[in-house]
Amino acid sequence: MPPVTPPPSAPESNPPLPTLNFRVDCNDHKGIDIFFNAVNPVQVLRRAVTSAYKWLSVPDTNLPRIETITLHLLPVEGVIQTFGSPTIKEIHLSLDYVVQCEDRAEDEIAGVVLHEVAGCFLYNANGTCPGGLLSGMADYVRLKEHLGPPHWRPSFGPNWDAGYETTAFFLAWIDSIFGEDKIRALNQQLNTEKYTSAIFTDLIGVPVAELWTTYCESMDEAAAAEWSSELSEALEATAPLPMWPMPKLSIKVVDLAHEGVGVFFGAVNPRKALEEAVMASFETLYTLSNVPTNVKEILLVLRSMDGVAYTTGSSSRKEIHYSLEYIRSTKTRARDEIMGVLVHEVVHCFQHDGRGHCPSGLTEGVADYVRLRKDLGPPHWRRKGGKEWDMEYEGTAYFLEWIEKSLGKKAFVRDLNIRMMKRYRPTLFDDLTGKSVDELWKSYCGTLEKEPTDVPVPVPTHKAPEPTGAPQ
């Protein structure tokens, strides 16, 4: 078998990259950790698209124009499958399969994603092309990118279009004999009304049946064995059930090409980050006996938008929308700032609000109090006084912290939150501390040392407009 040739430069007439999106379902699946420990979804999708351009396009011609490709991780049977319209594609990758291929997860994930993405850019002769040729061309691209699994080997039989790696090795043999442009040209020739096997004769001058016979005769067991090794079996571990009522955690990324996506995935593991934020809320505001169980799902949406972040949704399903522009701006302290904002927003998913009567400043202050307790406050935060104790955000957060420390009431904020299951009353502070909130605020302001006045103004996390309608 001739060696695989080095990848050539991509043709110059590539169409623009489609919008690349990413989504994860099932937060407690072992495959999620394996996936993120093995690959960066941005890089995997970009490489797959550019590889498809490189091996399937001919200069001065067009590939099928794809507007959007979404990679979706979820617990399903099988390996991977593509759905959608001619221009909008969604690729479902099985988390169960990711677990099975743990021993070589990086190459296998990149390989199967490449196969599906390549399939998005194949012409199919108006639906008349043999499926074996299409799957073989997709695996041909995978083979040329050195992403074939170790068990792949050339195989022979009556059908050249048996599909997948059987056809892929055959196509690789053709390009080693007749030139790589033949397979690129083959894809362009499939941009026709109806497929016939004469397409090979037109391109190469030899009927495909004759090519297949020559290919089979040129191979022997020794040559085939050079490509073979068995794929290791991975044991699937069952994750223990958490003691706390962890909701389903999902992530949706709109536009993987955005620089903020790279900053986000470079700083945190999204599943672990969301779990950490949920546990910060639970451990600070509740006990196992009174933690709310109504929130069944939290979806984190990374997208381009103004502001920083906001939380929306119903009592059982929450969405946290997080600005990619803001994430991009956090490069110097990305991990702590990303986590700080996530903790703040996740608190809003679980905290009580006095049945809608709690002052917004107290609601935001409790969220930033949890952030403060987890040492995730940004360096520009300062204690400050003023006329209003419920000034919002870190101003109120530091006040709540002072109440706990100065009065020795370590569970004050937790108790206050529980009391706000019912209608909010300002006298809740009297009930819990023996002093009115105004008395407490006056005492707190009296303890403050003079703070610098030239510090940056904190960026609140709720200035993005609420979307209209139900969450998507």
Side-chain angles (χ1 to χ4, degrees):
M1 185 70 184
V4 176
T5 55
S9 300
E12 296 181 357
S13 58
N14 290 334
L17 280 173
T19 298
L20 303 176
N21 299 329
F22 179 69
R23 179 167 181 172
V24 180
D25 284 347
C26 190
N27 59 289
D28 58 351
H29 200 291
K30 180 183 178 183
I32 295 175
D33 276 342
I34 295 172
F35 180 91
F36 285 114
N37 287 332
V39 299
N40 179 320
V42 181
Q43 296 173 354
V44 165
L45 280 172
R46 283 181 177 171
R47 177 183 179 181
V49 173
T50 56
S51 297
Y53 290 169
K54 179 167 58 181
W55 296 107
L56 297 176
S57 63
V58 176
D60 302 321
T61 62
N62 293 320
L63 288 176
R65 185 165 293 277
I66 307 298
E67 296 177 1
T68 302
I69 298 176
T70 299
L71 177 61
H72 191 170
L73 308 187
L74 66 173
V76 293
E77 295 181 354
V79 179
I80 193 168
Q81 193 171 2
T82 300
F83 303 89
S85 68
T87 59
I88 308 295
K89 304 293 185 181
E90 181 157 325
I91 299 172
H92 290 189
L93 174 59
S94 166
L95 286 168
D96 297 336
Y97 183 72
V98 171
V99 172
Q100 292 175 30
C101 66
E102 181 176 7
D103 287 351
R104 55 179 308 274
E106 180 179 2
D107 285 347
E108 186 62 16
I109 291 169
V112 297
V113 170
L114 174 55
H115 175 101
E116 296 301 312
V117 170
C120 296
F121 293 97
L122 289 171
Y123 289 109
N124 64 8
N126 201 29
T128 64
C129 181
L133 176 54
L134 294 176
S135 67
M137 291 180 73
D139 268 356
Y140 161 84
V141 176
R142 182 176 178 180
L143 188 63
K144 299 295 282 188
E145 287 293 306
H146 305 280
L147 288 173
H151 68 269
W152 274 15
R153 67 175 67 188
S155 57
F156 322 107
N159 300 317
W160 66 269
D161 57 350
Y164 296 101
E165 75 267 23
T166 296
T167 302
F169 279 111
F170 175 49
L171 297 175
W173 175 82
I174 289 176
D175 76 30
S176 71
I177 301 298
F178 299 98
E180 291 162 345
D181 285 343
K182 298 301 182 184
I183 307 305
R184 296 192 186 99
L186 175 61
N187 188 40
Q188 292 299 321
Q189 289 295 315
L190 292 175
N191 185 16
T192 184
E193 287 296 319
K194 187 175 181 180
Y195 169 84
T196 69
S197 60
I199 191 173
F200 285 88
T201 305
D202 296 340
L203 284 173
I204 301 172
V206 182
V208 67
E210 185 176 334
L211 289 168
W212 179 247
T213 299
T214 303
Y215 166 70
C216 293
E217 291 175 350
S218 70
M219 300 299 297
D220 56 28
E221 289 300 319
E226 293 179 4
W227 296 84
S228 66
S229 66
E230 294 300 323
L231 182 64
S232 301
E233 295 183 359
L235 296 177
E236 182 175 356
T238 302
L241 293 175
M243 294 179 62
W244 295 89
M246 186 66 65
K248 176 182 177 181
L249 304 175
S250 304
I251 182 171
K252 179 179 180 180
V253 181
V254 181
D255 188 7
L256 276 176
H258 197 291
E259 186 180 354
V261 177
V263 174
F264 182 88
F265 285 108
V268 299
N269 175 316
R271 183 185 70 82
K272 291 181 178 179
L274 282 168
E275 283 189 348
E276 183 178 328
V278 171
M279 290 307 301
S281 302
F282 286 170
E283 293 171 346
T284 307
L285 299 179
Y286 298 100
T287 65
L288 283 170
S289 63
N290 59 26
V291 63
T293 59
N294 57 292
V295 179
K296 304 301 182 184
E297 179 180 3
I298 298 176
L299 172 64
L300 174 62
V301 181
L302 305 183
R303 65 181 181 89
S304 178
M305 68 178 199
D306 294 332
V308 179
Y310 66 88
T311 299
T312 185
S314 65
S315 63
S316 61
R317 185 178 186 274
K318 305 292 186 180
E319 285 191 9
I320 298 173
H321 290 239
Y322 202 162
S323 166
L324 286 171
E325 283 78 11
Y326 184 74
I327 292 173
R328 179 177 57 194
S329 74
T330 67
K331 286 182 180 179
T332 56
R333 54 181 305 273
R335 197 270 172 190
D336 285 349
E337 186 60 19
I338 288 170
M339 284 305 307
V341 173
L342 278 181
V343 166
H344 179 105
E345 296 302 324
V346 169
V347 169
H348 288 324
C349 297
F350 295 102
Q351 70 183 145
H352 297 300
D353 65 353
R355 298 184 179 180
H357 294 278
C358 177
S360 63
L362 179 54
T363 302
E364 300 297 342
V366 169
D368 267 356
Y369 164 83
V370 177
R371 181 176 179 178
L372 189 64
R373 281 284 301 271
K374 296 301 176 180
D375 295 321
L376 291 171
H380 65 261
W381 276 14
R382 296 290 187 274
R383 294 175 177 83
K384 52 189 175 183
K387 295 182 179 180
E388 305 294 336
W389 66 269
D390 56 348
M391 66 183 72
E392 297 189 347
Y393 301 103
E394 84 277 11
T396 302
Y398 279 118
F399 174 48
L400 297 174
E401 180 192 51
W402 174 84
I403 292 175
E404 290 197 335
K405 290 182 177 180
S406 66
L407 301 182
K409 295 184 176 294
K410 296 182 179 180
F412 167 73
V413 176
R414 177 185 296 170
D415 293 341
L416 179 64
N417 177 62
I418 296 301
R419 295 288 186 99
M420 289 194 294
M421 289 179 64
K422 300 180 180 180
R423 190 181 180 95
Y424 170 80
R425 297 176 290 106
T427 54
L428 289 178
F429 285 81
D430 300 72
D431 298 340
L432 292 170
T433 68
K435 297 182 179 181
S436 71
V437 67
D438 291 332
E439 289 180 279
L440 292 167
W441 179 246
K442 183 177 180 180
S443 298
Y444 170 68
C445 291
T447 65
L448 295 178
E449 297 179 358
K450 186 177 181 181
E451 296 285 350
T453 59
D454 58 346
V455 296
V457 177
V459 181
T461 62
H462 275 61
K463 295 306 181 185
E466 287 280 345
T468 58
Q472 299 298 311

